Amino acid sequence: MTIKRLVAAMLLAGLSNSVLAEQSFTVQDIQVEGLQRVALGAALNNLPFNIGDTITDATLSRSIKSLYAAGHFDDIQVFRDGNAVIYRLKERPTINNIEFDGNKDIKEDQLNESLMGQKIIVGEPLDKTVIKEVENGLTEFYHGVGKYNAEVEMKVTYLPRNRVNLKIEFEEGDAASVRQINIVGNEVFSDDELLKNIESMYDLPWWRFLSSDRYQKQTLQGDFEKIRSYYLDRGYLRFNIDANQVSVSTDKTSVYVTLNVTEGEQYTITGVDFVGDLIGQDAFIKALLPLKAGQLYNGALVTYTEESIAKLLARFGYANSKVRTIPNIDDDTKEVALTISVDPGKRVYVRRLEVAGNASTKDEVIRREVRQMEGAWLSNDALELSKDRIQRLPYIEKVEFETKEVAGVDDKVDVSYKIKEQPSGNFNAGISYGDFQGLSFQIGVEQQNFFGTGNSAGISLSTNKYNKQISLSVTDPYFTLDAISLGGQVFYSDTDYSSLSSNLEAYKQKRYGFGASVGYPINEYNRLNFGTNFAVNEISSLSEYDQLRHFRAVLTDKNNPDGGYKFTNYELVASWIQSTLNRGLFPTAGHELVLSGRVTTPNSDLQYYKTTFEARNYIPLSNDHRWSFLSKLELGYGNGYGDKDGYDYTLPFTDNFYAGGQNLRGFESRIVGPHAVYRQVTTVPGLPNPTGGSSGSFPTDPSFDTYLVSPRSTGGNAMAIATLELITPTPFVGEDYVNQIRTSIFMDAGNVWDTEFDLSRYNNLSQAPSQGFRSPPLLDYSDAGLIRVSAGLSVQWISPMGPLTFSLAKIIRKEEGDEQENFSFNIGTTF
């Protein structure tokens, strides 16, 4: 291109007639030849003159430069015919298609972004001069990741109508391995001590097959900084890396690294002083200062101090502060005096808050969670708190924010929150099958972000072999501007536990009623909820097992002992919730504590209370939170208060706790815990009567009674379940689905107990033979020290229909009577 420009300039300077003369002339006509894609008007707009202007050869030279600068032409020639100027142009070909072949280390999105920076875009003209730059740039990238044999070639295929196809072919080759890292000049610390914490590895043993010794330039530079920090953190203020050499073997498969260092000596801090403006926080900053006179210089503490002061200033709106530490080094005494310079800059205010990405959720639902106000000074703490609050919403998958400077103003910014939503409704549809449970089906609809208002509303329907239920609920989390919530529900259920699939001792129950609740925020992390319920229970076909003695005594109608049981309860409900979780669904950091209680009023038919406590704590194990550790504890206890006709109230069996299934994975649903106990009276025949018949049978002494333990569960009034769970990256899942799919390895342990039932009455009795079923030992389901343990794999997915859970568990501790391992698959499970 440059040669053609020189030729054109020479022609303009040396030729006449067909070539321009030196003298000026008035342009009477402009002719352009060779245009195909570029419009005539667009070409003429790039010329520095018009018809009627008087120009010289210098003006024509500038016109050539202007046409080249437009980026549309490969070749430009200009001629003069009298007072007419003629341009003969050769347009650059248009890029029809871009194809990549053989690239593995670089994704196509990255390649396209890089090509756009070089203005190589489909539909745009191709500048052939940048082809070599692209090839060299990509080759340099591969060298940076250790692939010194890599080759990149861009092939151009010409098509009709001045179009081209581009194909970039990659021969990546194998990455070079780090064969050796040598450190020269170190005496205080050995090579092993300095290299044990770096990322670049070499000479790996065979059992570390998951590790990599691949050479990467950026990783090695980071390792150099780690070695530097290692010395600075231990007082070696004059430590220096004098040189580093990276040698590549002849076959380009091995890399040898040599690092020349000067360690120096340790320096002691003599004092710390401040200069600049501490915005009135002098005492607070100095009280928390970790740097003290007399201690060794520590680079990590210096950096921590600078960051802490900058964060403190940012809390008060000084977002662009500059904090730096100036060391005054005395090499003779090996001491250093530190001066921390603080320049807060101007206080920055927020002009406008913007919300983007919320296709379904209304802006006001997002904004009411934001704690950074428009017109107030910019606070990083408020921005982060706002992000956490938005991300805790169950219908938000991810939140990012950025601050944008306002043009022409140095003390104002705009804040933009970018939202990524996730399915906010649950379409609950589940089909499951178990050894005893049989086939069950459930269906339900719940919308946690009803029409984008942030309100939750839903109707839940479920049906299986033993249960039919329906419930309607609605909750407004911001019934008032102060985040006071209001909710209500109506429910009805008709349950028949006579089927073996229920795993419960047989009975039938109808339950219906309604309730209301109100919630109050205490602060950003704590909330109180209060509510009241009205519930009617109708029990029939109830087996007469021994644990029901108190229940039957207080509810049996003496005039109609076979009429079943019906009781009405008025319940008061309260709960306390503390949450610092970073997300509403699939959290990876923070904790949540939930303490709840429910008590019936004295005018209820049954007087009892029930309390539960749940604690979840997530500890991220990696910076990207792909690895995280969850510990979970569930506790529950319930009992009665008061008495009736000399019988103490107890927790009704319909409110008992159960274990197995979702809360103790690996065990059949509700199979773990106390089972029904039947006491059987032993009888003997009476004496013969005068007619030759028998006078009936008579019970023997109670010590000769026997007992029978049912394989069905009754639940208990106390529960304790603990979970340890390692959350791991999900294999073969891309970045777009990281927050939608969760894989974990878990261990569950716990049990359910009945603390009110007196088992000592059966100590001297023998167990009756089972009657067509397995009768487990009594103490297996009553020992307070007995703990069931299981472990397995869980996969959870937030599908478009709602959360879906797949779990497969192996029972580690299994007692007689426990059912075999459980495979579960549910849609609509609540996490």
Side-chain angles (χ1 to χ4, degrees):
M1 182 188 296
T2 303
I3 295 175
K4 291 182 178 179
R5 291 183 181 179
L6 292 174
V7 170
M10 293 174 63
L11 290 173
L12 288 171
L15 299 179
S16 60
N17 296 328
S18 61
V19 185
L20 301 175
E22 293 289 343
Q23 70 274 16
S24 61
F25 67 97
T26 301
V27 178
Q28 294 182 351
D29 188 22
I30 301 175
Q31 300 177 18
V32 181
E33 301 175 357
L35 294 180
Q36 298 180 32
R37 178 181 56 83
V38 181
L40 177 61
L44 295 177
N45 285 337
N46 292 293
L47 299 179
F49 60 88
N50 294 309
I51 295 176
D53 292 346
T54 300
I55 64 173
T56 64
D57 56 350
T59 307
L60 292 173
S61 296
R62 291 199 306 273
S63 72
I64 293 176
K65 295 179 180 179
S66 297
L67 288 171
Y68 272 121
H72 297 297
F73 307 106
D74 263 344
D75 187 42
I76 302 172
Q77 295 181 358
V78 60
F79 300 88
R80 176 183 170 188
D81 185 5
N83 289 336
V85 180
I86 303 172
Y87 288 92
R88 291 179 183 172
L89 309 177
K90 183 179 179 182
E91 290 186 357
R92 289 177 177 174
T94 302
I95 300 174
N96 179 68
N97 185 46
I98 302 175
E99 183 182 354
F100 308 104
D101 182 35
N103 57 304
K104 296 180 180 178
D105 277 12
I106 313 179
K107 296 181 179 180
E108 291 193 6
D109 291 343
Q110 294 174 301
L111 288 170
N112 284 320
E113 185 177 348
S114 176
L115 293 178
M116 288 179 64
Q118 299 284 350
K119 296 184 178 180
I120 299 180
I121 307 170
V122 173
E124 297 295 324
L126 172 65
D127 184 357
K128 298 177 184 177
T129 61
V130 302
I131 291 179
K132 198 63 180 177
E133 296 178 17
V134 172
E135 293 175 342
N136 292 339
L138 292 173
T139 302
E140 183 64 25
F141 166 81
Y142 282 108
H143 288 179
V145 297
K147 293 194 172 184
Y148 289 99
N149 288 314
E151 296 181 1
V152 181
E153 182 182 3
M154 181 181 290
K155 294 184 178 180
V156 181
T157 303
Y158 290 89
L159 304 173
R161 301 192 305 277
N162 199 26
R163 297 174 301 134
V164 294
N165 283 342
L166 300 182
K167 184 176 183 180
I168 305 179
E169 295 183 347
F170 298 83
E171 290 289 341
E172 294 184 339
D174 296 326
S177 300
V178 179
R179 293 302 180 193
Q180 193 171 13
I181 301 177
N182 296 317
I183 302 178
V184 180
N186 57 311
E187 297 179 356
V188 179
F189 303 110
S190 65
D191 286 10
D192 291 341
E193 191 170 359
L194 294 175
L195 299 178
K196 66 181 180 181
N197 294 320
I198 68 173
E199 293 186 36
S200 299
M201 300 181 180
Y202 70 97
D203 195 23
L204 294 172
W206 65 269
W207 60 83
R208 297 189 61 180
F209 59 90
L210 293 179
S211 301
S212 174
D213 58 2
R214 174 177 175 172
Y215 167 75
Q216 295 194 55
K217 183 178 180 180
Q218 290 183 343
T219 302
L220 189 62
Q221 292 298 325
D223 291 337
F224 291 165
E225 290 304 313
K226 287 183 179 181
I227 294 174
R228 183 191 306 277
S229 297
Y230 191 86
Y231 276 93
L232 292 179
D233 294 348
R234 288 156 180 80
Y236 293 90
L237 188 55
R238 289 298 193 185
F239 172 81
N240 186 54
I241 298 178
D242 302 321
N244 65 82
Q245 301 88 33
V246 178
S247 304
V248 184
S249 62
T250 304
D251 59 3
K252 299 182 179 181
T253 61
S254 301
V255 171
Y256 300 85
V257 181
T258 302
L259 196 65
N260 298 89
V261 303
T262 299
E263 293 179 319
E265 298 186 37
Q266 289 179 306
Y267 284 73
T268 303
I269 299 174
T270 59
V272 183
D273 196 11
F274 289 90
V275 296
D277 184 6
L278 299 184
I279 64 169
Q281 300 295 321
D282 308 48
F284 180 76
I285 292 175
K286 292 177 180 179
L288 297 179
L289 186 68
L291 299 169
K292 306 295 181 183
Q295 70 183 41
L296 287 175
Y297 178 86
N298 189 311
L301 284 182
V302 170
T303 301
Y304 172 78
T305 300
E306 294 173 346
E307 292 177 349
S308 298
I309 295 174
K311 288 181 179 179
L312 176 65
L313 296 174
R315 290 178 58 186
F316 294 92
Y318 298 94
N320 299 319
S321 64
K322 297 178 181 179
V323 182
R324 62 190 183 97
T325 303
I326 306 169
N328 185 11
I329 304 173
D330 188 335
D331 290 320
D332 294 331
T333 62
K334 301 300 182 287
E335 294 177 333
V336 56
L338 302 179
T339 301
I340 301 177
S341 173
V342 180
D343 178 13
K346 285 187 176 182
R347 177 172 277 176
V348 179
Y349 293 84
V350 176
R351 184 186 69 166
R352 183 181 299 116
L353 285 170
E354 301 172 350
V355 179
N358 52 321
S360 301
T361 308
K362 295 180 179 179
D363 274 14
E364 64 181 85
V365 176
I366 304 299
R367 289 178 176 272
R368 66 194 185 190
E369 304 295 337
V370 175
R371 295 303 180 258
Q372 173 66 66
M373 298 292 102
E374 293 178 336
W377 66 58
L378 179 67
S379 170
N380 284 346
D381 285 354
L383 292 176
E384 290 292 345
L385 178 59
S386 302
K387 175 184 174 180
D388 289 342
R389 289 185 61 87
I390 296 172
Q391 205 158 248
R392 286 188 201 124
L393 298 174
Y395 38 87
I396 300 299
E397 176 184 340
K398 186 178 180 180
V399 181
E400 297 293 343
F401 68 84
E402 63 175 345
T403 57
K404 297 178 288 187
E405 296 181 356
V406 178
V409 183
D410 60 357
D411 63 346
K412 290 185 179 180
V413 296
D414 291 335
V415 177
S416 175
Y417 283 92
K418 296 183 179 179
I419 311 297
K420 184 178 180 181
E421 297 174 311
Q422 63 189 7
S424 60
N426 290 341
F427 173 75
N428 301 334
I431 299 177
S432 60
Y433 182 83
D435 291 342
F436 291 95
Q437 183 176 344
L439 183 66
S440 64
F441 170 75
Q442 65 179 19
I443 184 171
V445 179
E446 182 181 0
Q447 177 63 256
Q448 294 177 319
N449 187 20
F450 192 66
F451 290 112
T453 62
N455 299 339
S456 63
I459 176 172
S460 178
L461 303 168
S462 68
T463 177
N464 54 36
K465 293 176 66 174
Y466 57 85
N467 184 34
K468 298 177 180 63
Q469 67 177 16
I470 180 172
S471 65
L472 302 173
S473 62
V474 61
T475 301
D476 184 352
Y478 275 82
F479 183 70
T480 70
L481 294 177
D482 297 327
I484 295 177
S485 64
L486 183 65
Q489 62 172 336
V490 178
F491 54 88
Y492 173 84
S493 64
D494 186 354
T495 308
D496 181 1
Y497 291 113
S498 61
S499 169
L500 283 175
S501 59
S502 70
N503 282 336
L504 296 181
E505 196 62 17
Y507 71 95
K508 295 181 180 180
Q509 178 187 23
K510 285 185 180 180
R511 186 172 186 269
Y512 51 91
F514 57 87
S517 62
V518 61
Y520 301 87
I522 301 175
N523 52 38
E524 299 293 349
Y525 305 104
N526 294 272
R527 187 177 186 86
L528 292 177
N529 296 309
F530 301 96
T532 180
N533 296 322
F534 169 79
V536 178
N537 293 268
E538 297 180 7
I539 308 294
S540 61
S541 302
L542 180 61
S543 299
E544 301 296 323
Y545 53 91
D546 285 15
Q547 287 98 323
L548 295 180
R549 185 166 58 92
H550 281 252
F551 179 82
R552 294 195 303 267
V554 298
L555 283 181
T556 299
D557 184 356
K558 296 180 180 179
N559 298 321
N560 185 18
D562 298 325
Y565 307 94
K566 181 176 181 180
F567 53 96
T568 300
N569 290 333
Y570 304 90
E571 302 172 345
L572 300 179
V573 182
S575 65
W576 163 67
I577 302 174
Q578 181 185 91
S579 177
T580 63
L581 299 179
N582 62 337
R583 301 187 69 241
L585 288 178
F586 292 166
T588 55
H591 71 268
E592 183 180 62
L593 306 176
V594 180
L595 176 63
S596 61
R598 178 162 54 92
V599 60
T600 61
T601 60
N603 61 326
S604 300
D605 291 336
L606 292 178
Q607 299 174 14
Y608 64 92
Y609 61 89
K610 185 177 181 180
T611 61
T612 59
F613 174 75
E614 180 177 337
R616 291 188 295 160
N617 186 39
Y618 293 85
I619 303 175
L621 303 179
S622 60
N623 292 332
D624 60 2
H625 290 208
R626 299 289 297 276
W627 293 83
S628 187
F629 181 76
L630 164 64
S631 58
K632 181 179 177 181
L633 177 66
E634 293 181 78
L635 301 175
Y637 181 78
N639 214 328
Y641 69 92
D643 61 81
K644 179 181 179 181
D645 298 332
Y647 290 94
D648 292 335
Y649 284 106
T650 59
L651 183 71
F653 72 96
T654 54
D655 277 84
N656 276 347
F657 296 101
Y658 300 94
Q662 291 184 9
N663 64 348
L664 194 57
R665 291 162 285 191
F667 294 87
E668 285 280 351
S669 177
R670 294 186 291 258
I671 198 65
V672 176
H675 285 219
V677 179
Y678 292 87
R679 183 164 184 158
Q680 297 180 337
V681 177
T682 302
T683 61
V684 294
L687 296 174
N689 57 35
T691 61
S694 174
S695 59
S697 60
F698 299 89
T700 63
D701 187 273
S703 62
F704 293 101
D705 289 353
T706 60
Y707 69 87
L708 186 68
V709 179
S710 170
R712 295 185 174 195
S713 174
T714 62
N717 69 317
M719 176 190 68
I721 296 177
T723 295
L724 299 178
E725 199 157 345
L726 177 63
I727 300 168
T728 67
T730 304
F732 315 113
V733 172
E735 291 293 330
D736 294 340
Y737 297 95
V738 168
N739 293 325
Q740 298 181 29
I741 300 178
R742 166 163 290 182
T743 301
S744 62
I745 301 170
F746 65 84
M747 177 178 289
D748 294 338
N751 207 346
V752 172
W753 303 275
D754 189 338
T755 65
E756 294 300 306
F757 186 54
D758 184 10
L759 288 170
S760 63
R761 295 184 301 148
Y762 303 88
N763 290 344
N764 298 321
L765 303 183
S766 60
Q767 186 171 4
S770 60
Q771 301 176 2
F773 57 84
R774 181 176 55 200
S775 178
L778 177 66
L779 294 182
D780 281 352
Y781 294 95
S782 58
D783 184 2
L786 189 62
I787 299 295
R788 303 297 204 276
V789 182
S790 65
L793 173 71
S794 174
V795 179
Q796 298 169 298
W797 173 39
I798 305 177
S799 71
M801 295 186 298
L804 179 150
T805 299
F806 159 85
S807 62
L808 184 62
K810 170 71 176 178
I811 297 175
I812 298 176
R813 180 166 182 178
K814 180 177 177 181
E815 304 297 328
E816 184 179 352
D818 288 343
E819 300 305 330
Q820 57 187 347
E821 286 82 355
N822 185 8
F823 170 87
S824 62
F825 179 83
N826 296 295
I827 297 176
T829 302
T830 301
F831 299 105

